[in-house]
Amino acid sequence: MTASVQENGMKNELIVLSPNPSNDFVEIMSGSNETYTVNIIDPNGENCYSKEVKAGDKINISQFQAGLYMFQIESKSGDRIVRKIIRK
């Protein structure tokens, strides 16, 4: 399951986060080799993670509490999307 919100024109199908739900790692999957900035917002609205990633990179979420997390993903050109991930 992949839920998302499209912003600023980035193609919705361009980036997939898997698996969802997850309890340890989330992999960034994209048809591009572009570098993205990922910010993760926790269930309380706090930014709990920020890093540059590429397709194929895995983000360790095992230290996060269970809940719904928003992955704000921004391309170098400024296009943004939001993906929701459930941490089991």
Side-chain angles (χ1 to χ4, degrees):
M1 177 177 145
T2 301
S4 64
V5 175
Q6 183 176 349
E7 299 176 14
N8 292 348
M10 184 184 278
K11 292 183 180 174
N12 216 13
E13 66 278 1
L14 188 65
I15 298 174
V16 175
L17 304 179
S18 182
N20 190 10
S22 179
N23 55 3
D24 52 9
F25 290 91
V26 174
E27 183 176 1
I28 310 293
M29 294 183 284
S30 170
S32 167
N33 62 354
E34 185 173 358
T35 299
Y36 302 97
T37 299
V38 174
N39 291 296
I40 301 176
I41 310 303
D42 70 17
N44 297 318
E46 300 291 325
N47 188 340
C48 61
Y49 180 94
S50 184
K51 187 175 179 182
E52 286 195 358
V53 300
K54 286 188 173 186
D57 286 353
K58 292 184 179 181
I59 297 174
N60 183 351
I61 63 168
S62 63
Q63 72 279 12
F64 296 172
Q65 297 292 321
L68 179 66
Y69 289 81
M70 306 292 268
F71 281 60
Q72 297 177 340
I73 304 166
E74 185 171 345
S75 69
K76 293 291 182 187
S77 64
D79 291 337
R80 288 178 285 152
I81 60 168
V82 175
R83 295 284 190 254
K84 298 175 186 175
I85 290 287
I86 298 170
R87 164 66 168 96
K88 293 194 274 185

